[in-house]
Amino acid sequence: VQLQASGGGLVQAGGSLRLSCAASGRTFSRDAMGWFRQAPGKEREFVAVISRSGESTYYADFVKGRSTISRDNARSTVYLQMNSLKPEDTAVYYCAADAGNLLPFREYEYDYWGQGTQVTVSS
Protein backbone atom coordinates (compact mmCIF):
# COMPACT_ATOMS: atom_id res chain seq x y z
CA VAL A 1 0.00 0.00 0.00
CA GLN A 2 1.24 3.45 -0.87
CA LEU A 3 -0.14 6.75 0.36
CA GLN A 4 1.27 9.84 -1.30
CA ALA A 5 0.49 13.13 0.40
CA SER A 6 0.90 16.44 -1.39
CA GLY A 7 -0.30 20.02 -1.37
CA GLY A 8 1.66 21.42 1.53
CA GLY A 9 3.57 24.65 1.32
CA LEU A 10 4.17 28.07 2.79
CA VAL A 11 1.13 30.26 3.35
CA GLN A 12 0.38 33.40 5.31
CA ALA A 13 -1.87 33.35 8.33
CA GLY A 14 -5.49 33.46 7.24
CA GLY A 15 -4.73 31.66 4.00
CA SER A 16 -5.85 28.29 2.71
CA LEU A 17 -4.34 25.05 1.50
CA ARG A 18 -5.77 21.85 0.15
CA LEU A 19 -3.87 18.70 0.96
CA SER A 20 -4.30 15.58 -1.14
CA CYS A 21 -3.43 11.98 -0.46
CA ALA A 22 -3.45 9.48 -3.32
CA ALA A 23 -3.69 5.82 -2.42
CA SER A 24 -2.65 2.78 -4.38
CA GLY A 25 -2.16 -0.90 -3.77
CA ARG A 26 -5.49 -1.74 -2.16
CA THR A 27 -9.19 -1.05 -2.55
CA PHE A 28 -9.47 2.54 -1.40
CA SER A 29 -13.17 2.39 -0.57
CA ARG A 30 -12.54 -0.27 2.08
CA ASP A 31 -10.55 2.12 4.26
CA ALA A 32 -11.39 4.97 6.55
CA MET A 33 -8.93 7.74 5.81
CA GLY A 34 -7.44 10.12 8.32
CA TRP A 35 -5.13 13.08 8.58
CA PHE A 36 -2.67 13.62 11.40
CA ARG A 37 -0.04 16.25 11.98
CA GLN A 38 3.22 16.60 13.86
CA ALA A 39 4.72 19.93 14.80
CA PRO A 40 8.40 20.28 15.70
CA GLY A 41 9.07 18.94 19.17
CA LYS A 42 5.52 17.65 19.58
CA GLU A 43 3.81 14.32 19.27
CA ARG A 44 1.77 13.46 16.24
CA GLU A 45 -1.89 14.36 16.70
CA PHE A 46 -5.18 13.56 15.05
CA VAL A 47 -6.70 16.14 12.68
CA ALA A 48 -9.65 14.59 10.82
CA VAL A 49 -11.10 11.31 9.57
CA ILE A 50 -13.62 10.31 6.94
CA SER A 51 -15.50 7.02 6.71
CA ARG A 52 -15.21 4.58 3.82
CA SER A 53 -18.28 5.95 2.06
CA GLY A 54 -17.53 9.57 2.86
CA GLU A 55 -20.83 10.01 4.68
CA SER A 56 -19.31 10.48 8.11
CA THR A 57 -16.50 12.72 9.29
CA TYR A 58 -14.92 13.64 12.59
CA TYR A 59 -12.57 16.53 13.40
CA ALA A 60 -10.23 17.56 16.14
CA ASP A 61 -11.53 20.60 17.98
CA PHE A 62 -8.66 22.79 16.83
CA VAL A 63 -9.65 22.46 13.13
CA LYS A 64 -13.40 22.17 13.49
CA GLY A 65 -15.07 24.87 11.40
CA ARG A 66 -11.85 25.67 9.55
CA SER A 67 -11.16 22.44 7.72
CA THR A 68 -13.07 19.95 5.59
CA ILE A 69 -12.08 16.39 4.86
CA SER A 70 -13.45 14.75 1.74
CA ARG A 71 -12.72 11.81 -0.51
CA ASP A 72 -13.12 10.71 -4.09
CA ASN A 73 -13.26 6.94 -4.15
CA ALA A 74 -13.13 6.87 -7.94
CA ARG A 75 -9.76 8.65 -7.78
CA SER A 76 -8.58 6.87 -4.63
CA THR A 77 -7.82 10.24 -3.10
CA VAL A 78 -8.62 11.94 0.18
CA TYR A 79 -8.44 15.70 0.66
CA LEU A 80 -8.08 18.10 3.53
CA GLN A 81 -9.17 21.64 2.79
CA MET A 82 -7.74 23.97 5.42
CA ASN A 83 -8.92 27.56 5.74
CA SER A 84 -8.12 30.41 8.10
CA LEU A 85 -4.73 28.91 8.75
CA LYS A 86 -2.83 29.92 11.86
CA PRO A 87 0.90 29.78 12.63
CA GLU A 88 0.15 27.00 15.13
CA ASP A 89 -1.07 24.86 12.22
CA THR A 90 2.54 24.59 11.07
CA ALA A 91 3.41 20.89 11.00
CA VAL A 92 4.06 17.92 8.81
CA TYR A 93 0.70 16.51 7.79
CA TYR A 94 0.28 12.77 7.31
CA CYS A 95 -2.51 10.77 5.75
CA ALA A 96 -3.31 7.29 6.96
CA ALA A 97 -5.61 4.40 6.12
CA ASP A 98 -7.53 2.08 8.44
CA ALA A 99 -9.44 -0.98 7.30
CA GLY A 100 -11.05 -1.94 10.58
CA ASN A 101 -12.87 1.03 12.08
CA LEU A 102 -15.59 3.45 11.06
CA LEU A 103 -14.02 6.72 12.27
CA PRO A 104 -10.68 5.97 13.89
CA PHE A 105 -8.89 8.84 15.60
CA ARG A 106 -6.05 7.08 17.40
CA GLU A 107 -2.71 6.49 15.73
CA TYR A 108 -2.58 2.84 16.63
CA GLU A 109 -5.85 2.17 14.81
CA TYR A 110 -4.29 2.98 11.44
CA ASP A 111 -2.64 0.36 9.29
CA TYR A 112 -0.90 2.42 6.62
CA TRP A 113 0.78 5.82 6.60
CA GLY A 114 1.95 8.26 3.98
CA GLN A 115 5.23 10.13 4.04
CA GLY A 116 3.88 13.53 5.09
CA THR A 117 3.70 16.95 3.53
CA GLN A 118 5.01 20.11 5.20
CA VAL A 119 2.62 22.97 5.96
CA THR A 120 4.16 26.21 7.14
CA VAL A 121 2.00 29.16 8.15
CA SER A 122 3.74 32.49 8.56
CA SER A 123 2.43 35.23 10.82
Side-chain angles (χ1 to χ4, degrees):
V1 176
Q2 287 191 332
L3 300 175
Q4 183 71 41
S6 62
L10 174 63
V11 63
Q12 288 188 333
S16 299
L17 282 174
R18 188 176 83 153
L19 307 183
S20 300
C21 174
S24 61
R26 60 185 279 113
T27 303
F28 182 70
S29 59
R30 292 181 179 175
D31 295 335
M33 297 296 297
W35 286 96
F36 288 74
R37 71 183 188 185
Q38 186 168 23
K42 295 187 177 182
E43 293 186 350
R44 190 155 56 184
E45 61 183 350
F46 167 78
V47 177
V49 60
I50 188 166
S51 63
R52 300 179 189 93
S53 66
E55 292 181 352
S56 300
T57 58
Y58 177 65
Y59 297 90
D61 286 345
F62 56 77
V63 295
K64 202 172 293 183
R66 299 191 295 127
S67 295
T68 302
I69 188 170
S70 62
R71 66 190 295 159
D72 184 340
N73 284 351
R75 297 178 183 271
S76 297
T77 302
V78 62
Y79 305 96
L80 183 67
Q81 175 69 44
M82 301 189 296
N83 303 318
S84 302
L85 284 162
K86 306 174 182 179
E88 50 265 42
D89 293 318
T90 295
V92 177
Y93 284 70
Y94 298 89
C95 59
D98 172 35
N101 299 283
L102 178 61
L103 290 174
F105 61 93
R106 302 177 183 88
E107 277 194 65
Y108 67 80
E109 294 178 290
Y110 285 83
D111 304 298
Y112 307 101
W113 291 84
Q115 88 290 358
T117 184
Q118 176 71 48
V119 171
T120 303
V121 184
S122 62
S123 57

